[in-house]
Amino acid sequence: GVQTCALPILALLALPLCVPTLIFGAGAIEAVSTGDGFLVHLAILGALALLALATTPWAMAAALRQAGE
C-alpha cells in the first residue's frame, strides 16, 4: 500500500491535473456572468472529461500492477 509519507507527494502530483478544470470552469462562470460566449469553455471542459475517461483504464491498470509488486 501507500505509505503515509508518500501521501503528500501524491497530492502534489495530482494537483496540476485539477488546475485546468478549475481555470476553465471559472472562465465559463465569468463568461456567463458577463454575457460572453461560454461554449468554448464548456467544450474544453468536455474535452478534458473525455480525455480523463479515456485514460482512466490505463492508469488503473498501472496502479494495480504497481500494488501487486
Side-chain angles (χ1 to χ4, degrees):
V2 177
Q3 298 172 351
T4 38
C5 63
L7 288 177
I9 295 171
L10 288 175
L12 288 176
L13 288 174
L15 184 64
L17 301 174
C18 301
V19 172
T21 305
L22 179 66
I23 290 171
F24 288 113
I29 291 172
E30 182 180 357
V32 168
S33 67
T34 60
D36 293 336
F38 62 93
L39 292 178
V40 174
H41 298 285
L42 292 182
I44 293 173
L45 284 171
L48 288 171
L50 289 176
L51 179 69
L53 186 66
T55 57
T56 297
W58 285 283
M60 288 174 60
L64 288 173
R65 259 187 259 116
Q66 185 70 23
E69 292 179 357

